[in-house]
Amino acid sequence: MQNQQNPFIFSSLFNNRSLIFLLFFPASLGILWQIFNNPLSHQLLAFTLFLMCLEQARMAFIDLENIIIVKEKCEDNRLDDFFVVTMVTIIIELLGFYLAFFSLYWGAIVILISLIFFNLFAKIQLQPSAEIMIQSSGISQKLTILCADGLGLILIILGMFNVMPLLMSSLLLGIIILYGLIKYI
């Protein structure tokens, strides 16, 4: 029993809005700084990454909080794997957001790779308020999200190679805004 709960020592540490804020906030400021003295394509990409940073900070907190809540209510070995995938994703995302301060394109590539990683390897979805708190979630259920992440990665790579960078940044911003509208409205 002790061995199963070891990974969750860290989840209680990260289940703190202040700590998540402290990890993501400097990165978001660095990304916002990219809006100044850059061409419009970089400004749009920086704004897009800023919105992504806010959303991923929110999701990091929610995922870690859900892991703790569900772990207290039931025993399931899949939670350990989900915790590891979540932590690796958060670490890679943070690296990407901080890298974006120096290179928007490389930072965006790392961030999108972290999202693809999460959607490929997180095999469950947590719903602490539902009767069935742990729901299987395979690749087939995440195909739309994986396609959107893949499309985003293609747009970033094209923009990075100077293939209509303004259009690529605009399309990526459009995808992020559409995602937000679908998710929150």
Side-chain angles (χ1 to χ4, degrees), residues 32-52:
L32 277 179
W33 181 254
Q34 295 292 328
I35 292 176
F36 304 104
N37 299 324
N38 274 316
L40 183 57
S41 62
H42 283 73
Q43 292 174 347
L44 290 174
L45 180 56
F47 183 65
T48 301
L49 293 178
F50 173 73
L51 293 175
M52 289 176 71

Side-chain angles (χ1 to χ4, degrees), residues 107-120:
I109 288 170
V110 170
I111 294 161
L112 287 166
I113 287 172
S114 74
L115 295 175
I116 291 169
F117 169 83
F118 181 81
N119 287 307
L120 285 175

